[in-house]
């Protein structure tokens, strides 16, 4: 799963973005440049979402130091500064894209996908199961070649099933993906989301393995 660093000091916006992005990506939310500096090196991030006005400095300065150190990670600046010179300055400094607050969630997700795709090069790794395809880097789902969108939980379940096409996947593994470790799991919830997936993809596509879990059938 792609790993995003979200650098945003505004609590409300940070929380909302964290929630939004977590549906598709692993997200590390930090609120200061100091924290970003401390985590960047061993972070293993695939992309940075960078607010410019941070409590301990200007995001542009940090970006400049990243680029001058040879770090090529894609950086998407998200800022309320919408003056043209700010935008130009951000891009000149090495930002890959610039989004002005407030923005639509879909717009943000689309820009992130573009940057991640560009990073992955033209060869987008795809998992397929019959007429179903799943882009491993961007997590887009295609049915008969058309992109479809799934609710977050259904999307997470499918991501796991696509990694083991035609093989049984245990309920435990799927629940772990949905809820992580240590959270209370309502045993019926998984069924509800499987039902949702079947409605969207066709009921024969996901086979129930009694007493164990489910199998994604390549149709
Ligand atoms: Ca800010």
């Amino acid at each position: 799963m792609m790993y995003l660093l979200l650098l945003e000091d505004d609590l409300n916006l940070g929380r909302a973005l964290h929630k939004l992005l977590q549906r598709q990506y692993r997200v590390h939310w930090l609120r200061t440049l100091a924290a970003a500096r401390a985590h960047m090196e061993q972070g293993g991030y695939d992309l940075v979402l960078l607010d410019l006005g941070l409590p301990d400095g200007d995001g542009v300065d940090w970006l400049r130091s990243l680029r001058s150190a040879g770090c090529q990670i894609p950086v998407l600046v998200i800022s309320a500064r919408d003056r043209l010179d700010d935008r130009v300055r951000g891009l000149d400094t090495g930002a890959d894209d610039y989004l002005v607050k407030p923005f639509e969630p879909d717009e943000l997700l689309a820009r992130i996908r573009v940057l991640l795709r560009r990073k992955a090069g033209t060869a987008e790794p795809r998992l397929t199961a019959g007429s179903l395809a799943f882009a491993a880097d961007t997590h887009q789902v295609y049915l008969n070649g058309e992109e479809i969108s799934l609710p977050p939980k259904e999307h997470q379940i499918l991501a796991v099933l696509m990694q083991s096409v035609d093989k049984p996947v245990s309920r435990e593994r799927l629940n772990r993906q949905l809820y992580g470790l240590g959270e209370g799991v309502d045993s019926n919830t998984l069924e509800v989301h499987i039902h949702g997936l079947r409605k969207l993809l066709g009921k024969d596509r996901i086979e129930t393995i009694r007493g164990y879990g489910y199998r994604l059938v390549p149709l």
Side-chain angles (χ1 to χ4, degrees):
M1 187 180 268
M2 287 287 164
Y3 192 18
L4 272 48
L5 170 60
L6 168 63
L7 198 48
E8 170 60 70
D9 64 309
D10 183 279
L11 273 182
N12 288 329
L13 181 62
R15 220 173 264 141
L17 288 176
H18 190 228
K19 198 172 163 201
L20 171 78
L21 296 167
Q22 267 189 323
R23 295 174 185 173
Q24 295 178 48
Y25 306 105
R26 206 175 138 215
V27 184
H28 193 186
W29 173 26
L30 299 173
R31 296 170 53 206
T32 62
L33 287 173
R37 282 195 196 97
H39 285 89
M40 192 61 197
E41 226 166 275
Q42 69 279 50
Y45 308 114
D46 295 295
L47 180 141
V48 176
L49 289 168
L50 179 63
D51 176 29
L52 295 184
L54 292 158
D56 55 349
D58 192 323
V60 165
D61 295 332
W62 182 60
L63 176 56
R64 189 177 295 118
S65 69
L66 277 186
R67 293 306 188 221
S68 63
C71 176
Q72 291 302 316
I73 188 168
V75 174
L76 172 52
V77 168
I78 43 171
S79 175
R81 301 177 190 174
D82 63 350
R83 297 202 325 266
L84 184 64
D85 58 335
D86 279 324
R87 246 185 267 203
V88 170
R89 197 165 66 99
L91 293 170
D92 273 352
T93 309
D96 297 274
D97 202 354
Y98 195 112
L99 201 52
V100 176
K101 296 172 189 169
F103 47 78
E104 292 296 319
D106 285 346
E107 168 94 55
L108 176 68
L109 293 173
R111 305 264 193 125
I112 289 173
R113 280 199 298 270
V114 168
L115 291 182
L116 289 175
R117 231 181 350 242
R118 201 188 293 165
K119 175 176 184 269
T122 45
E124 188 178 327
R126 277 206 188 186
L127 305 168
T128 58
S131 56
L132 200 61
F134 186 83
D137 54 350
T138 60
H139 284 209
Q140 284 157 293
V141 180
Y142 301 86
L143 183 60
N144 298 314
E146 299 272 325
E147 186 177 353
I148 58 169
S149 71
L150 301 174
K153 297 290 187 195
E154 279 73 1
H155 198 279
Q156 284 177 23
I157 292 172
L158 186 67
V160 175
L161 292 175
M162 287 299 286
Q163 286 161 25
S164 309
V165 175
D166 220 8
K167 296 187 194 101
V169 177
S170 70
R171 299 178 49 87
E172 285 72 25
R173 181 153 169 231
L174 292 168
N175 273 323
R176 205 159 52 229
Q177 175 70 23
L178 285 182
Y179 302 103
L181 296 168
E183 259 186 74
V185 176
D186 173 355
S187 61
N188 290 322
T189 312
L190 180 58
E191 262 96 58
V192 172
H193 295 304
I194 291 283
H195 179 73
L197 262 182
R198 283 178 173 144
K199 263 176 99 171
L200 289 162
L201 305 176
K203 67 177 169 55
D204 297 333
R205 213 177 280 271
I206 300 170
E207 185 191 358
T208 301
I209 314 270
R210 212 163 281 282
Y212 183 76
Y214 299 95
R215 183 173 75 98
L216 181 64
V217 184
L219 293 177

